Amino acid sequence: MTGSPTANRLSIVLPYFSENEGSLPEVEVAFRESALIPKAFALLFSRGGVVASEGEPTLWMRDTKEDVAFTGPECADLVIGETADPFHVLLGGICVEGTRIPDLGVFVHQGGLILDYRMGQEWGLDQISALMTLLNQFRDMDGTVSVPWWGVQGEAAFLATLALNREAGNAEPAIPHSSERYT
């Protein structure tokens, strides 16, 4: 990838990934139709995502006013149905086009998903490209992707990188097959 237009574009956003300065930058993915949010969340599991949170993640159930164990991607349906409060879970193992993406925090709410990530050395050009491909898969599902945390110049560089990644194409379909399991 070195020296290619894609590598050059990815190099522009590398500083937003490579140096861990303690923050957890966020990537927002909004959906106009709430029914797409559980499908987008399930996509993360279909790409190999597994819970990487310390301890057992839980959801707060509004009607019973108690925590229940997080059981998988179907929990997003509970948020959309207003049965559970929005929740955050850490996912590891997500692979896109053969590249493992470093762990992503995922906040599921009624407007979409907010992904957060720890900056650091585990983010190379291949990992950033894989993340961009994943984000374009969300866009293929009618998601709108933004990075307000990055500021005006950073978001412009991010969106240009996302567009270049889309032009390069992504080999995996955005919507998982119904026969895929999420364990």
Side-chain angles (χ1 to χ4, degrees):
M1 187 182 296
T2 304
S4 71
T6 302
N8 291 339
R9 179 60 68 189
L10 292 172
S11 294
I12 293 170
V13 298
L14 186 60
Y16 294 94
F17 291 92
S18 62
E19 187 177 327
N20 183 0
E21 36 75 284
S23 68
L24 294 173
E26 296 178 344
V27 178
E28 297 180 9
V29 186
F31 292 92
R32 281 180 247 158
E33 293 184 39
S34 62
L36 294 171
I37 297 165
K39 292 177 183 178
F41 189 52
L43 177 65
L44 299 170
F45 288 85
S46 76
R47 298 289 179 254
V50 294
V51 174
S53 301
E54 290 186 26
E56 289 188 38
T58 60
L59 296 108
W60 180 256
M61 302 304 293
R62 292 179 175 182
D63 55 349
T64 61
K65 301 199 181 332
E66 64 184 352
D67 280 324
V68 298
F70 175 84
T71 57
E74 66 279 357
C75 289
D77 289 314
L78 299 173
V79 173
I80 303 313
E82 298 185 15
T83 305
D85 280 350
F87 64 88
H88 184 273
V89 65
L90 183 66
L91 297 180
I94 300 169
C95 289
V96 177
E97 297 181 338
T99 299
R100 185 185 168 283
I101 297 173
D103 293 354
L104 296 175
V106 185
F107 180 68
V108 179
H109 62 96
Q110 291 183 332
L113 305 175
I114 299 175
L115 309 178
D116 61 68
Y117 60 93
R118 171 88 46 215
M119 298 167 67
Q121 294 177 346
E122 61 273 356
W123 286 99
L125 297 181
D126 290 339
Q127 290 73 27
I128 296 169
S129 179
L131 176 63
M132 294 295 169
T133 298
L134 177 67
L135 295 173
N136 274 320
Q137 291 170 351
F138 290 144
R139 290 174 69 197
D140 291 343
M141 299 171 72
D142 268 349
T144 302
V145 178
S146 63
V147 289
W149 179 90
W150 291 26
V152 175
Q153 288 181 320
E155 186 160 39
F158 171 84
L159 294 174
T161 302
L162 198 57
L164 183 63
N165 177 272
R166 181 184 288 281
E167 290 172 16
N170 53 24
E172 298 182 61
I175 300 175
H177 300 285
S178 60
S179 63
E180 292 184 12
R181 303 212 53 188
Y182 314 104
T183 55

